[in-house]
Amino acid sequence: MSGATAQTPTRRCSYATSAPRWCFFAGQWKQAQKGATVEDIYNQTADHTRRGVFAGVSLEDDAPFSSVCSHCVVIGYNLTRRAMTAAFTPKDEPNVLCKLQYVIFTAPKKLTIDAVSQRITRASHDFALHVVPSEYSVDVAIRSELLDLLKEYRRLEDKMVETQREGRAIHSIFRQQIYLYDSDLSGVKVSKRGILLEELSATGRKKHWREQCEADVDQNEYLIGFKKYLDSYSYGPNHESYTGSTIDQYYRAIRPWFNSNAEIDRVVECVKETIKSLEGNKSLDKSLVNKLNAARRFLEYYEKEVAPA
């Protein structure tokens, strides 16, 4: 980091941000408070310098710490949190923004590529209201193999964004558009669950197939007719009607028999077998009672409105 002028003497302050936190300045190590941020350690070091803690270094009360410290070296900084960067504003220079200028980036092999991509971006930081120096950039040193992989992944991300902008699609369809044949991303994992990119595309196809099957099931003419039958059904001396929740429960109880595109004759067989097996059971729980009643209503619907036709 740097916030000094060209006339500033070259003296570095090194911060170890892993626990416990330490500061090395003017040939001395000082331990920082637990949980201290880079900004806290910087301001604490400036305060120690003003109080003469560091031998051979003096700092006037109204002088900024950057007049005796031209560079800060941060060691072991963890870029794991969102919007977490090492940028800070010194207490004695409220109009200055100290930012990373050079980063040596390491990442464990177990990290997924999307997590690495996010973390390397966090080496940068918005300038907000501060004036951006001309030709400013953050230099990042990284393993060449990981850099090549990140470039491929970023290209894939950009391509996917453009594809989604051109024609918006639901998530399961969007995932199917992840094509890896023209990249070197085979075997690369993403997500906290560690999913292979090629599997993400395959699971997208499976999820879309399930959604399509469910949509097709609800369009089945016999299920539509059964729901209408329940809507108009009345029982008891007062000709009471089913509540909406009861209709939904009975509908959901019958619906699974149609999921495999079964013929109506096969569904009726299953319904009759269910009635036969449950009617003789004297200790049914509520869900099985609902299933039995649903099966009875469906069989009534079939015999009254479907079979005669």
Side-chain angles (χ1 to χ4, degrees), residues 8 24 44 65 83 95 99 104 138 160-161 167 169 182 185 192 197 200 212 234 259 267 306:
T8 304
F24 182 79
Q44 185 183 47
F65 184 49
N95 295 320
K99 293 170 57 69
I104 300 175
V138 179
M160 294 301 296
V161 168
D182 58 348
L185 295 173
K192 291 181 179 179
L197 270 173
L200 191 64
Q212 190 61 49
S234 60
N259 279 343
V267 173
V306 179

Side-chain angles (χ1 to χ4, degrees), residues 114-125:
D114 53 330
V116 175
S117 178
Q118 292 169 13
R119 292 178 189 187
I120 201 169
T121 303
R122 291 171 194 156
S124 184
H125 185 86

Side-chain angles (χ1 to χ4, degrees), residues 220-241:
N220 186 284
E221 59 176 312
Y222 300 111
L223 278 177
I224 294 173
F226 178 53
K227 197 163 189 178
K228 289 180 179 178
Y229 179 79
L230 294 176
D231 285 334
S232 61
Y233 187 85
S234 60
Y235 63 95
N238 297 325
H239 300 287
E240 298 178 57
S241 300

Side-chain angles (χ1 to χ4, degrees), residues 41-285:
I41 299 174
Y42 181 94
N43 291 331
Q44 185 183 47
T45 306
D47 183 59
H48 286 168
T49 305
R50 289 188 178 88
R51 291 192 284 113
V53 172
F54 298 102
V57 184
S58 61
L59 185 63
E60 299 296 330
D61 290 343
D62 59 347
F65 184 49
S66 61
S67 64
V68 295
C69 177
S70 61
H71 296 76
C72 295
V73 180
V74 182
I75 303 169
Y77 196 78
N78 195 334
L79 297 169
T80 56
R81 297 180 184 175
R82 292 180 180 176
M84 180 181 180
T85 69
F88 68 92
T89 296
K91 185 178 180 180
D92 55 16
E93 293 182 280
N95 295 320
V96 172
L97 180 67
C98 293
K99 293 170 57 69
L100 292 173
Q101 290 186 331
Y102 188 84
V103 178
I104 300 175
F105 184 90
T106 61
K109 291 185 178 180
K110 66 179 181 179
L111 273 183
T112 55
I113 191 66
D114 53 330
V116 175
S117 178
Q118 292 169 13
R119 292 178 189 187
I120 201 169
T121 303
R122 291 171 194 156
S124 184
H125 185 86
D126 287 338
F127 276 88
L129 300 178
H130 297 272
V131 177
V132 182
S134 60
E135 300 182 0
Y136 172 82
S137 65
V138 179
D139 294 325
V140 179
I142 190 173
R143 286 188 295 111
S144 58
E145 318 90 79
L146 183 56
L147 178 61
D148 292 340
L149 207 57
L150 281 169
K151 287 179 179 179
E152 285 285 346
Y153 179 71
R154 290 286 182 88
R155 275 194 286 267
L156 177 66
E157 276 192 325
D158 292 343
K159 183 178 179 180
M160 294 301 296
V161 168
E162 289 303 319
T163 300
Q164 185 71 341
R165 282 175 179 166
E166 292 171 2
R168 294 187 179 183
I170 59 175
H171 188 239
S172 60
I173 295 293
F174 175 74
R175 281 159 53 178
Q176 291 179 55
Q177 299 168 346
I178 302 176
Y179 298 115
L180 305 180
Y181 62 88
D182 58 348
S183 70
D184 295 322
L185 295 173
S186 180
V188 172
K189 294 181 179 181
V190 294
S191 166
K192 291 181 179 179
R193 293 176 292 164
I195 303 173
L196 290 169
L197 270 173
E198 53 262 42
E199 288 183 5
L200 191 64
S201 178
T203 53
R205 287 192 292 274
K206 292 175 183 177
K207 185 172 184 292
H208 177 61
W209 180 82
R210 289 195 300 269
E211 291 172 349
Q212 190 61 49
C213 286
E214 290 182 2
D216 291 344
V217 166
D218 288 322
Q219 299 304 314
N220 186 284
E221 59 176 312
Y222 300 111
L223 278 177
I224 294 173
F226 178 53
K227 197 163 189 178
K228 289 180 179 178
Y229 179 79
L230 294 176
D231 285 334
S232 61
Y233 187 85
S234 60
Y235 63 95
N238 297 325
H239 300 287
E240 298 178 57
S241 300
Y242 285 137
T243 62
S245 62
T246 299
I247 292 173
D248 288 339
Q249 288 174 10
Y250 288 2
Y251 178 85
R252 288 197 301 269
I254 299 299
R255 189 176 182 273
W257 280 314
F258 288 90
N259 279 343
S260 57
N261 295 321
E263 296 291 336
I264 185 62
D265 292 341
R266 177 56 187 156
V267 173
V268 172
E269 286 179 17
C270 293
V271 168
K272 289 180 178 179
E273 290 171 4
T274 298
I275 294 173
K276 184 178 180 180
S277 64
L278 294 180
E279 278 186 331
N281 193 331
K282 303 299 182 182
S283 57
L284 298 177
D285 60 23

